[in-house]
Amino acid sequence: GAVVSQHPSRVICKSGTSVKIECRSLDFQATTMFWYRQFPKQSLMLMATSNEGSKATYEQGVEKDKFLINHASLTLSTLTVTSAHPEDSSFYICSARDSGISNQPQHFGDGTRLSIL
Amino acid sequence: QQPVQSPQAVILREGEDAVINCSSSKALYSVHWYRQKHGEAPVFLMILLKGGEQKGHDKISASFNEKKQQSSLYLTASQLSYSGTYFCGTAHTGTASKLTFGTGTRLQVTL
């Protein structure tokens, strides 16, 4: 089955640090990947759609200068949380869909638990 | 706007059945169902593409009523492994690749 790898799985760092999270599709190509944030006991909230070779599309209320997204290849998207603060602490999850096949589900990475002290 | 799921939470005994509903305020292109266990990523269950379509595998099935903008997930003869939070993800015409996830339903199966 389709596999999406996300790294790191957990980050604990000081306020003001920038944190980079990688999302890779291991056995398929993904022109589009998605980044979600999930707070405890809440649903997944879409932050942005990552588009290979072009700018990401951000959801309303998500600061694009705060959450930098780069999708440089068909198998890799990165999310950088710049100058992170305690309120950025959350569970960040990426997903990807096989570009070559229509009507395919999104497959999720294992998520990154970010804790800002 | 986020799809609304009902019930918010349900506790079942092993072997009992459950129905989880997902209702959208916008016209639907497709509905995706996922199960998420605590601290883990969501796992794909099934996707429904057409109005009135019904799908299933093993003891989990789902229906999609395009006209009512609703989908339901049916869990029969529940097992302990069914415990988790269930989310529907809805895709809409024009933004078919993007999913908006529902409010979630917490399911606990006990002995």
Side-chain angles (χ1 to χ4, degrees), chain A residues 11-93:
Chain A
V11 180
I12 302 173
C13 57
K14 292 181 180 179
S15 188
T17 307
S18 291
V19 178
K20 188 177 189 178
I21 303 170
E22 291 188 351
C23 181
R24 293 180 186 272
S25 56
L26 296 184
D27 53 358
F28 63 94
Q29 293 185 335
T31 53
T32 304
M33 293 185 177
F34 303 91
W35 288 96
Y36 296 85
R37 181 165 54 183
Q38 186 177 35
F39 292 108
K41 296 188 179 180
Q42 292 189 23
S43 185
L44 292 90
M45 300 306 295
L46 180 66
M47 298 174 66
T49 302
S50 173
N51 304 300
E52 188 267 335
S54 65
K55 290 183 181 179
T57 307
Y58 289 82
E59 295 300 301
Q60 196 170 13
V62 178
E63 299 175 58
K64 60 181 180 182
D65 295 329
K66 172 80 172 172
F67 299 100
L68 300 178
I69 290 172
N70 185 279
H71 194 152
S73 78
L74 286 171
T75 58
L76 173 64
S77 174
T78 61
L79 168 69
T80 301
V81 183
T82 61
S83 188
H85 292 286
E87 58 267 28
D88 298 322
S89 299
S90 189
F91 190 50
Y92 292 85
I93 319 175

